[in-house]
Amino acid sequence: EVRQALITSYKSYPVEAYDFEDDPAGEYVWLAAARRFAANNPLNLCAATPESISSVLDITHVICDKFKALIEVNGLHELLYDSNRTPKHERAAQLLFYGIADSYCIANNIDLSRECNGGRGPVDFKLSSGAIDKVAVEVKLTSNGQLKHGIEKQLPIYMSQENTHRAIYLIIDNGHPRSLENFFMFYNNLDMQLKAKTDVIVIDGTFKPSASNA
């Protein structure tokens, strides 16, 4: 009787239909958008990059730089916000990077794994070619209060459990410049060995005036 009452109550609870057009949680539109942006902005790593790019780390840097350009220059930043320009959850940014990176990795024979969990939590992404050449990528928004913790504690643990020797900390600024400033004050005092293993890339994901109003 209790179970049936619970089910009846659950079914009768009023819910609002999810807006798939606006996708405020960023759970839906990222896939089609990522494929469209990747198709319109192809990245042939074999033909478009110098011969020095021979490792997964180099390739990951090229992909991250392309993702940065798509957000800062080509309008991809709009998918980081809802229709009221309220920042979406960090998961939306992670999914967006996944969609872009996956398209480029498939085209260039790189293995991309999402949320690998070797024991103490999932790293956002791992790019690899073979058993040795591997790179971890962690995506964080400046609105995340764990920005410092992510590079000091999370990434070293993820790198250890996934047996990766290099990592990229991808920071997307969604309107919190003070947070970014505090992060770099903290980062400058980090252990040199940790900094040598982790590259930081900052992406400006804020809205900018149109060219006519610049």
Side-chain angles (χ1 to χ4, degrees):
E1 291 178 358
V2 173
R3 180 187 63 201
Q4 189 57 47
L6 178 62
I7 294 173
T8 301
S9 177
Y10 178 79
K11 287 183 175 180
S12 64
Y13 190 83
V15 294
E16 184 177 347
Y18 187 74
D19 185 353
F20 283 94
E21 186 70 26
D22 183 39
D23 189 23
E27 295 281 354
Y28 175 72
V29 300
W30 64 272
L31 181 58
R35 288 176 175 173
R36 183 176 70 254
F37 270 82
N40 293 336
N41 300 271
L43 184 63
N44 188 333
L45 296 172
C46 296
T49 57
E51 294 180 359
S52 61
I53 295 182
S54 57
S55 69
V56 172
L57 178 63
D58 296 323
I59 292 172
T60 305
H61 264 287
V62 174
I63 292 174
C64 288
D65 288 341
K66 189 66 173 181
F67 182 64
K68 175 182 171 76
L70 291 176
I71 288 182
E72 294 183 347
V73 180
N74 298 108
L76 194 62
H77 69 286
E78 293 184 359
L79 293 184
L80 301 175
Y81 304 84
D82 63 19
S83 58
N84 296 317
R85 293 195 173 185
T86 300
K88 294 180 180 178
H89 190 270
E90 191 170 78
R91 176 177 165 82
Q94 294 166 346
L95 289 171
L96 197 56
F97 176 79
Y98 176 60
I100 294 294
D102 186 56
S103 297
Y104 292 143
C105 285
I106 290 175
N108 293 278
N109 199 31
I110 299 295
D111 180 62
L112 173 66
S113 302
R114 178 170 172 260
E115 295 188 341
C116 300
N117 190 340
R120 298 183 61 184
V123 62
D124 286 346
F125 305 99
K126 182 178 69 176
L127 290 83
S128 61
S129 178
I132 298 176
D133 200 1
K134 297 183 287 186
V135 177
V137 177
E138 187 74 8
V139 179
K140 283 281 191 291
L141 297 176
T142 52
S143 57
N144 190 327
Q146 298 291 308
L147 201 58
K148 299 174 184 177
H149 178 78
I151 194 169
E152 183 185 30
K153 302 295 183 181
Q154 282 183 282
L155 261 181
I157 292 174
Y158 295 155
M159 292 169 68
S160 176
Q161 71 183 23
E162 300 299 334
N163 195 28
T164 63
H165 302 292
R166 296 298 301 270
I168 293 179
Y169 200 49
L170 198 62
I171 300 175
I172 302 176
D173 181 19
N174 61 342
H176 297 79
R178 180 61 63 86
S179 176
L180 193 59
E181 181 181 338
N182 290 337
F183 168 79
F184 276 108
M185 291 176 61
F186 172 80
Y187 173 79
N188 290 335
N189 294 308
L190 278 179
D191 179 76
M192 291 298 295
Q193 289 187 335
L194 174 59
K195 290 165 66 174
K197 295 178 181 178
T198 307
D199 299 333
V200 177
I201 297 177
V202 178
I203 299 175
D204 183 358
T206 60
F207 282 90
K208 305 168 190 66
S210 64
S212 59
N213 296 323

